Amino acid sequence: MITIKDIAEMANVSRSTVSRVLNDSGYVSEEARKRVESVVKETGYAPSEYAKSLRTKKTKVIGVILPTIQTETPSRIVTGLGRELSKHGYQILLANTDHDKVKELEYLDLLKVRQVDGIVLIATNTDAKLMKKIKEINIPLVMIGQEAEDVMHVTYDDYRAVRELTRLFIQKGHEKIAFIGVDESDRAVGYYRKKGFLDEMAAQGLSVEQAWVQKAIFDIASGHEAMEKILKNTNKPTATIAVTDRLAIGAMSYLKEKGMKIPTDMAIAGIGASEMSQYMEPPLTTVDYQNEKAGEEGAKQILASIESRPLQEKIVMDYRLIIRESV
Amino acid sequence: MITIKDIAEMANVSRSTVSRVLNDSGYVSEEARKRVESVVKETGYAPSEYAKSLRTKKTKVIGVILPTIQTETPSRIVTGLGRELSKHGYQILLANTDHDKVKELEYLDLLKVRQVDGIVLIATNTDAKLMKKIKEINIPLVMIGQEAEDVMHVTYDDYRAVRELTRLFIQKGHEKIAFIGVDESDRAVGYYRKKGFLDEMAAQGLSVEQAWVQKAIFDIASGHEAMEKILKNTNKPTATIAVTDRLAIGAMSYLKEKGMKIPTDMAIAGIGASEMSQYMEPPLTTVDYQNEKAGEEGAKQILASIESRPLQEKIVMDYRLIIRESV
DNA sequence: CTGTTAGCGCCTTCAG
DNA sequence: CTGAAGGCGCTAACAG
C-alpha cells in the first residue's frame, strides 16, 4: 500500500508538505505543490480515511438505522439522504433492524463504536429505552418519522393529513367511515393518524362503531383481513381509510373478491403515494408525504448539527392529497 | 473520549493486557481478566474501530454499490446481504448510483479509499470501463445479477427461466407471443432474457413479428407504452412476456384501459415475484428469483474471498415459476 | 502470564 | 514556505 511517506519521498518533500497540498492548508510553494500533485496523479494515491479519522476524529460517515428497506417509505428516505449526504462527501453506513427493537438499540451502540459523525434513525417507535439511549449517545442524531422531545426530527403531518382525508370522505357524503390502523406504539402511524380520524369524525358529529376501527400490521395481507373484519359487522361503513397504501391495497383485494365495487359500495384511501397506488383499479386516493425530501431535510439537519451550525430542532413536512377514483 | 489507556490504568494493567482480554488473544490471568472486564463494563468502553483498522488493515465494512434501492430486487438483495454480513460483524457502506454509470465508477474508487474489506456490486451492465476498473481494483469483489469472466458473481438463470416461461405459454396453446424487454447493455435482463424467448420460439418453430418485441425501460409507464405499441400491429399476439413485473403491470394497465380481458384476450407474465404480483387482477404469473438468498450467497462469497478460503467463482441461483391466473 | 516498545498513516504544532 | 516531531487509539512482537 502506498502512503503519504512514499509520496513525500517521490516528490522530494516532507510528509507535512504533502499533507498541506492534499488538504489545501497552510502555505506551499507553487513548485512544491506541482511536484506533489503530479506524483499523486501518477501513483493514484489516495490518503487513508482511517488514519485520517484517527487524527481528525471525523469519519464522514453517517449511520442510518431503518426497520427495512423493502418498503417504499424508508427506501425513498434513504435515497433522499444519500443524495444530499454524498454532495458533502459523506457516506451511509446501513443498519437494517428488520423490525427488531433490540437490534435497533444494538445498532445505536455499534454505530457509536464505528464513530460515525452522525446517526439518522428512521423510527417506528419512541419507546422509553430507545429514547433513553438516544439521549445518552452523544452523537448528532436525527429521527425521521416520529417526533420526540429534545431530539431533532423530521416528521410528517400525520394528524392533519388524516383529518383532511376524513373530511374529504365526509364532504363526499360518507357518514359511516372505517379505519385500518396499526399499533399505537408507532406514534406517528398508529396514534396520530388514528387520532386525526377520530377527531374529525367527532368534530363533524359522526359516530364510529368499534368494529370499524381495525388494527393491522404493515402488510398487504393484513389489510385484507382487516377489511374482512370490518364487513362482518352488520352496520356496514361506506368508506375506509387505511394508514398505508399497502393496507389499502389489501383491503381492496378483499372487496374485489367479494364482488364489491369501489368506490360505490366502498370508497377507500391509503397513505404514502406508493408507485402502485396509481395503477390500482380504481386508482387509489392517497397522501404524498414526499419521503425523499424528508430524507434530504434530515440530511441537512444532521450536517448542520455536525458542524454545530444553528438549525431547526424540528421539521414538519408538508403533504399533498392525491385524489383518485377510489373515492 | 475514553481509550484503552484509561481502561489499563483503571484496571491496573498494561494496555496490552486490556487488548488481550478484548480480543481474547494470548494468555491473561483470570484475575486480570476480571478486573479489566469489570472496568470495561462500568465505563461502557468500546474500542475505536478506526484505530483498530489502522493497525489491522481490516475494516469490517463491505461496500455495496447499487443502481437504486427503490425497487424490490436490489432491496431484497441488500436485505440478504445485510443479514448474512451482520452475522459476521460486518457492516454495509451504501453507494447508490441512481442509475448513473459514471457514479458507479467513482464509487468503486471511493470504496477503495474507504478501505472497505470487500465490495458487492449489484450490476446492471458489464461495460468495458467498468470491467477494467473491477479488475484493477484489487479488493475482493462480487457482482450480483450479471455474469462476467474472472469476477466472482451470483446470477440468476435468466436464459432458462424465460425459455421455460415461453414454453409454458406455448403449452397453453399460444403461438403468437410478444415480448417486452429492456436494452441489451444489461446482459442479464436485456440480452439473456430476450435470447431465451427467441430461442424457445424458434425451437418450437414459431415465428415472432418484429413489432411483438418491444424495448422498454424499467418502469410501469414504459410497460404500458410497450403494450400499446404491440397492439398497434395488425397481427396481434395472444400472450406477452415482460422481463419485469413492473413492465407486466404497466402492460396490464393498458389492456384494462382498452377493455381487454386477461388472460383470454391476452395472457401475460412477468419476472421478479414482486409483492404486488399476487394482488393484481388477475394475479400475475411471474418468476421468483430468490433475491434475498442471492444476497446471502453473495455475502458468503465475499466473506470467503476476504478470508481467502476456497470458494466458487460463480453461483447461478435457482428460480421458481409462480403460475397464476394471468396465463 | 504481563509490560515495553514500536509502529499503522495521517495531521498539526512548532521551529526554522 | 518547509521539515521535524509528536501523537491519535490500537495491536503485535518481544522480552521478561
Side-chain angles (χ1 to χ4, degrees):
Chain A
M1 187 191 186
I2 169 161
T3 76
I4 198 172
K5 193 170 157 234
D6 303 319
I7 303 297
E9 282 166 7
M10 292 170 76
N12 252 304
V13 293
S14 72
R15 292 175 304 168
S16 333
T17 303
V18 175
S19 176
R20 284 187 194 103
V21 343
L22 254 32
N23 299 296
D24 237 348
S25 62
Y27 299 103
V28 180
S29 67
E30 248 336 281
E31 204 198 352
R33 152 164 284 120
K34 281 203 174 131
R35 277 213 308 282
V36 171
E37 278 170 351
S38 83
V39 172
V40 168
K41 200 166 208 173
E42 277 168 34
T43 55
Y45 164 75
S48 154
E49 288 292 330
Y50 283 83
K52 202 186 277 189
S53 296
L54 186 57
R55 251 328 294 243
T56 62
K57 306 290 174 209
K58 297 255 162 273
T59 59
K60 289 275 186 174
V61 171
I62 303 293
V64 176
I65 301 178
L66 37 67
T68 173
I69 51 170
Q70 306 239 24
T71 52
E72 285 176 272
T73 300
S75 296
R76 288 173 175 169
I77 293 171
V78 172
T79 300
L81 281 170
R83 177 155 51 230
E84 185 64 23
L85 291 175
S86 70
K87 278 187 202 162
H88 300 266
Y90 285 78
Q91 284 298 120
I92 286 176
L93 198 67
L94 202 69
N96 184 345
T97 68
D98 216 5
H99 296 283
D100 180 341
K101 289 183 184 178
V102 177
K103 277 196 193 161
E104 197 168 41
L105 298 174
E106 287 173 359
Y107 274 132
L108 243 16
D109 284 327
L110 180 68
L111 292 176
K112 174 157 193 175
V113 171
R114 292 271 185 192
Q115 284 160 247
V116 296
D117 290 346
I119 294 176
V120 174
L121 175 61
I122 301 177
T124 59
N125 74 87
T126 45
D127 291 0
K129 269 192 184 174
L130 179 63
M131 298 316 295
K132 181 161 171 283
K133 198 158 207 86
I134 286 175
K135 279 163 191 164
E136 287 168 0
I137 200 155
N138 208 24
I139 296 179
L141 182 147
V142 358
M143 270 178 55
I144 297 187
Q146 301 283 341
E147 66 182 318
E149 268 187 61
D150 305 324
V151 177
M152 285 199 301
H153 58 263
V154 179
T155 54
Y156 309 106
D157 205 344
D158 291 294
Y159 179 76
R160 282 212 308 131
V162 176
R163 275 198 81 144
E164 197 173 329
L165 208 50
T166 308
R167 205 174 314 132
L168 172 72
F169 277 131
I170 296 170
Q171 281 164 356
K172 294 236 174 200
H174 294 280
E175 300 191 330
K176 300 193 285 183
I177 306 178
F179 181 84
I180 303 175
V182 298
D183 194 89
E184 296 189 17
S185 66
D186 183 330
R187 299 291 288 173
V189 183
Y191 177 77
Y192 282 114
R193 293 189 192 174
K194 182 170 168 184
K195 184 163 165 47
F197 166 70
L198 293 175
D199 284 4
E200 182 64 23
M201 289 296 275
Q204 306 272 346
L206 297 174
S207 62
V208 178
E209 293 225 0
Q210 207 164 2
W212 295 350
V213 179
Q214 291 293 329
K215 190 170 89 180
I217 58 172
F218 285 98
D219 67 22
I220 296 181
S222 185
H224 186 276
E225 283 169 35
M227 183 52 87
E228 183 175 2
K229 285 185 197 148
I230 287 169
L231 290 178
K232 274 218 176 103
N233 204 40
T234 42
N235 187 5
K236 292 186 180 20
T238 62
T240 300
I241 292 175
V243 295
T244 74
D245 279 1
R246 297 165 92 212
L247 289 173
I249 288 171
M252 285 173 83
S253 84
Y254 180 79
L255 294 172
K256 289 175 193 169
E257 274 175 36
K258 296 298 162 192
M260 292 179 71
K261 294 286 167 235
I262 304 166
T264 42
D265 296 336
M266 176 74 83
I268 189 157
I271 295 178
S274 63
E275 190 187 19
M276 268 313 297
S277 63
Q278 61 182 303
Y279 293 98
M280 298 304 294
E281 293 169 89
L284 179 65
T285 290
T286 185
V287 182
D288 180 9
Y289 267 179
Q290 306 182 74
N291 303 115
E292 285 196 27
K293 186 132 181 289
E296 288 175 9
E297 291 299 329
K300 284 179 190 161
Q301 270 189 317
I302 200 80
L303 292 175
S305 173
I306 288 170
E307 296 160 12
S308 36
R309 274 188 278 120
L311 55 99
Q312 294 162 266
E313 168 92 354
K314 173 178 173 170
I315 293 177
V316 179
M317 299 295 299
D318 208 6
Y319 63 89
R320 196 169 56 90
L321 248 57
I322 303 179
I323 300 172
R324 302 207 186 96
E325 288 81 340
S326 72
V327 300
Chain B
M1 185 192 188
I2 169 161
T3 77
I4 198 171
K5 193 170 157 235
D6 303 319
I7 303 297
E9 283 166 6
M10 292 169 76
N12 253 304
V13 292
S14 72
R15 293 174 304 166
S16 336
T17 301
V18 177
S19 176
R20 281 188 196 102
V21 344
L22 255 31
N23 299 294
D24 237 349
S25 61
Y27 301 101
V28 181
S29 67
E30 248 335 282
E31 203 199 352
R33 152 165 284 119
K34 280 201 174 134
R35 278 212 310 282
V36 171
E37 277 169 352
S38 83
V39 173
V40 167
K41 198 165 210 173
E42 277 168 34
T43 55
Y45 163 75
S48 155
E49 287 292 329
Y50 282 83
K52 202 186 276 190
S53 295
L54 185 58
R55 246 334 294 236
T56 61
K57 306 293 174 206
K58 298 256 163 271
T59 59
K60 290 273 186 176
V61 172
I62 303 292
V64 175
I65 301 178
L66 36 67
T68 173
I69 51 170
Q70 307 239 23
T71 53
E72 285 176 271
T73 300
S75 296
R76 288 172 177 171
I77 294 172
V78 172
T79 300
L81 281 169
R83 177 155 51 232
E84 185 63 24
L85 291 176
S86 69
K87 278 187 203 162
H88 301 267
Y90 285 79
Q91 284 297 119
I92 287 176
L93 198 67
L94 202 69
N96 183 346
T97 68
D98 216 6
H99 295 283
D100 180 341
K101 289 183 185 179
V102 176
K103 277 196 193 159
E104 198 168 41
L105 298 174
E106 287 173 359
Y107 275 131
L108 243 15
D109 285 327
L110 179 66
L111 292 176
K112 176 158 192 173
V113 170
R114 291 273 185 188
Q115 284 158 240
V116 295
D117 290 345
I119 295 176
V120 175
L121 174 62
I122 301 177
T124 59
N125 73 86
T126 46
D127 291 1
K129 269 191 183 173
L130 179 63
M131 298 315 296
K132 182 163 171 282
K133 200 163 206 80
I134 286 175
K135 278 162 193 167
E136 287 168 0
I137 201 157
N138 207 24
I139 296 179
L141 182 147
V142 357
M143 270 178 54
I144 297 186
Q146 300 283 341
E147 65 181 319
E149 269 188 60
D150 304 326
V151 177
M152 284 199 300
H153 58 264
V154 179
T155 54
Y156 309 105
D157 205 344
D158 291 294
Y159 179 77
R160 282 212 308 131
V162 177
R163 276 198 79 146
E164 196 173 331
L165 207 50
T166 309
R167 204 174 314 130
L168 172 72
F169 277 132
I170 296 170
Q171 281 165 355
K172 295 236 174 200
H174 294 281
E175 299 192 331
K176 299 193 287 183
I177 307 179
F179 181 86
I180 302 176
V182 297
D183 194 88
E184 296 189 17
S185 67
D186 183 328
R187 299 291 288 174
V189 183
Y191 177 76
Y192 282 114
R193 294 189 191 174
K194 182 170 166 184
K195 185 162 164 46
F197 166 69
L198 294 175
D199 284 5
E200 183 64 22
M201 290 296 274
Q204 306 272 348
L206 296 174
S207 61
V208 177
E209 292 223 4
Q210 208 164 359
W212 295 349
V213 178
Q214 290 294 330
K215 189 169 89 179
I217 59 172
F218 286 99
D219 66 23
I220 297 181
S222 186
H224 187 276
E225 283 169 35
M227 183 52 86
E228 183 173 4
K229 285 185 197 149
I230 287 169
L231 290 177
K232 275 220 176 103
N233 204 41
T234 43
N235 187 6
K236 294 187 177 21
T238 62
T240 300
I241 292 175
V243 295
T244 74
D245 279 1
R246 297 165 92 212
L247 290 173
I249 288 170
M252 285 173 84
S253 83
Y254 180 81
L255 294 171
K256 288 175 193 167
E257 273 175 36
K258 295 298 162 189
M260 291 179 72
K261 294 284 169 237
I262 303 168
T264 43
D265 295 337
M266 176 73 83
I268 189 156
I271 294 178
S274 62
E275 191 186 19
M276 267 314 297
S277 63
Q278 61 181 304
Y279 293 97
M280 297 303 296
E281 291 170 274
L284 179 64
T285 290
T286 184
V287 181
D288 180 10
Y289 267 179
Q290 306 183 74
N291 302 115
E292 286 196 26
K293 185 129 181 289
E296 288 175 9
E297 291 298 328
K300 284 179 189 161
Q301 270 189 316
I302 200 79
L303 291 175
S305 174
I306 288 169
E307 296 160 11
S308 36
R309 274 188 278 119
L311 55 98
Q312 293 162 268
E313 167 93 353
K314 174 178 174 171
I315 292 177
V316 179
M317 299 296 297
D318 208 5
Y319 62 88
R320 196 170 55 91
L321 248 56
I322 303 178
I323 300 172
R324 301 205 186 97
E325 289 80 340
S326 72
V327 300

